[in-house]
């Protein structure tokens, strides 16, 4: 099968269905994408952090 890496847009031809890093071309691109996702998530959840801090403060 043919895949296009979401991270670097590299097109790979004849990729086996059990290709371990599918749909990424490599483990590196998979990690980059995961890192971006975590970064997005961190930024989105940043406004929640003060509340979490307050809760921890109450517990202490
Ligand atoms: Zn890639």
């Amino acid at each position: 099968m043919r895949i296009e890496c979401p991270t670097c847009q590299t097109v790979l031809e004849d990729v086996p269905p059990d290709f371990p890093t599918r749909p990424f071309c490599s483990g590196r691109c998979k990690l980059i994408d995961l890192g971006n996702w975590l970064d997005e998530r961190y930024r989105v959840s940043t406004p929640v952090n003060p509340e979490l801090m307050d809760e921890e403060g109450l517990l202490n």
Side-chain angles (χ1 to χ4, degrees):
M1 66 182 293
R2 179 181 177 275
I3 63 172
E4 184 178 339
C5 177
T7 301
C8 68
Q9 277 75 50
T10 296
V11 174
L12 299 182
E13 307 282 353
D14 299 323
V15 176
D18 61 347
F19 189 65
T21 60
R22 194 162 64 94
F24 303 95
C25 69
S26 65
R28 185 174 156 273
C29 282
K30 192 176 182 177
L31 283 174
I32 289 170
D33 186 76
L34 181 66
N36 289 341
W37 185 82
L38 289 174
D39 198 43
E40 285 293 317
R41 193 180 149 89
Y42 180 78
R43 247 179 275 146
V44 167
S45 68
T46 298
V48 178
N49 281 345
E51 282 179 37
L52 290 174
M53 294 293 281
D54 286 344
E55 267 184 59
E56 279 179 35
L58 288 173
L59 287 172
N60 293 331

